Amino acid sequence: MEYRKLGNTALELSAITYGSFAIGGNMWGGNEKKDSIASVHASLDHGVTSIDTAPFYGFGLSEEMIGEAIKGKDRSKIQLLTKFGLVWDGSNQGKGEFFFDASENGKTIPVYKFASKANIIKELEESLKRLGTDYIDLLQIHWPDSTTAISETMEALEVLIQQGKIRAAGVCNYSVDQLKEASATLTLASNQVSYSMLNRSIEQDLVPYALENQTGIIAYSPMERGLLTGKYFTENTLKQDDHRNGYFSQFDLEKVKSLIATLAPVAQNKGVTVAQLVLRWTTLQPGITVVLAGARNASQSIANAQAMDINFTAEELILINNELSKL
């Protein structure tokens, strides 16, 4: 495994970081608890020291399972990354920005973006309890909240750093303009954004800004929620309540199929999967600090970690990038 410094902080994260959205259950068709716990343990056993989660994932369930999985382990060797700013329990008292309607057990649950100072403090205490720890390594706003001044959010994070409750502060899904506004109050460690072979828009403005300002980039959805594994084209067994049934429709699936056909022989020659090849390629892109990789079980966690063992030849990278230019 490779470990990388996050922005201008002292934090070092594993290049492959465990992404825990899927083990939360909601929007992913559910997952067995024992498999979820095993996936965290396998990640830690194979050099993945960083775990990214959020209160919204499973409405607290993801954080609780991670807390259970790391109980008794050396906390100093684990980096916990969590978030705030998505509220679903009505505690925002009608404030904030409506985001979307989620569902759980057939019940519709309105979700709001809400990042006031009071809410940040409240959410952090809840996350600390669920995770069974007394500090968070990186606390991030989950989505921008148009109803709360960015300066108020950043001031709250600065206070939490001074109190020692968080080691560093980051954001998710921020534009360059939002990063600039935030930087007037607080030096941010990172921006967590969507990035993949199929979605490279951040290369235009966000990557240059991050490189110039020593801001880490945490890439999520590198596999486009499983589409780039190629399994969707041969094993389309998504459950009815799996959000990916609609998510995949945004892509030109014939072009994606062609890309996977190009990647498959390269992966086969190296004795790895297409998914591992895609993960490794993503970690090598300029400006990308770490890449989030989800896992539902131990074998998937091990495969994700082993992706870092892949080395590309110059010819292979040219072949892959030529195919990407056709998308």
Side-chain angles (χ1 to χ4, degrees), residues 64-206:
E64 288 174 358
M65 285 195 291
I66 289 167
E68 184 175 336
I70 67 171
K71 189 175 182 179
K73 296 187 179 295
D74 187 344
R75 177 68 178 84
S76 68
K77 295 181 179 179
I78 299 171
Q79 301 83 49
L80 292 179
L81 290 56
T82 195
K83 309 178 186 77
F84 64 88
L86 289 189
V87 178
W88 66 88
D89 59 3
S91 61
N92 58 330
Q93 298 179 332
K95 299 177 182 178
E97 174 187 353
F98 176 74
F99 193 15
F100 68 101
D101 282 323
S103 62
E104 184 178 38
N105 300 323
K107 180 182 177 182
T108 298
I109 302 175
V111 178
Y112 288 79
K113 302 174 186 176
F114 189 49
S116 72
K117 180 178 180 180
N119 184 64
I120 294 169
I121 294 170
K122 172 183 177 295
E123 284 201 61
L124 173 63
E125 293 302 325
E126 292 170 346
S127 290
L128 291 173
K129 183 177 180 180
R130 285 191 289 257
L131 289 164
T133 187
D134 57 1
Y135 72 95
I136 300 297
D137 294 277
L138 179 70
L139 185 63
Q140 310 154 91
I141 182 172
H142 206 150
W143 284 89
D145 165 26
S146 64
T147 69
T148 302
I150 287 178
S151 59
E152 178 182 341
T153 301
M154 296 302 119
E155 286 167 4
L157 289 169
E158 187 170 34
V159 168
L160 293 174
I161 291 173
Q162 293 171 350
Q163 291 176 343
K165 292 189 174 182
I166 67 175
R167 293 181 63 193
V171 296
C172 304
N173 306 298
Y174 260 38
S175 67
V176 169
D177 286 343
Q178 288 167 327
L179 287 172
K180 289 178 179 178
E181 185 175 347
S183 69
T185 305
L186 178 67
T187 299
L188 292 167
S190 57
N191 189 11
Q192 184 177 143
V193 289
S194 177
Y195 179 75
S196 74
M197 286 182 167
L198 305 181
N199 176 17
R200 301 171 65 184
S201 60
I202 66 168
E203 294 177 1
Q204 300 302 312
D205 59 352
L206 183 57

Side-chain angles (χ1 to χ4, degrees), residues 1-3 13-19 39-52 77-79 291 293 301-302 304-306 308:
M1 184 54 62
E2 184 179 323
Y3 302 92
L13 307 183
S14 49
I16 299 293
T17 289
Y18 182 93
S39 71
V40 176
H41 288 164
S43 292
L44 295 172
D45 290 343
H46 287 79
V48 174
T49 60
S50 310
I51 302 172
D52 180 85
K77 295 181 179 179
I78 299 171
Q79 301 83 49
V291 177
S301 290
I302 294 169
N304 290 342
Q306 291 176 340
M308 288 302 295

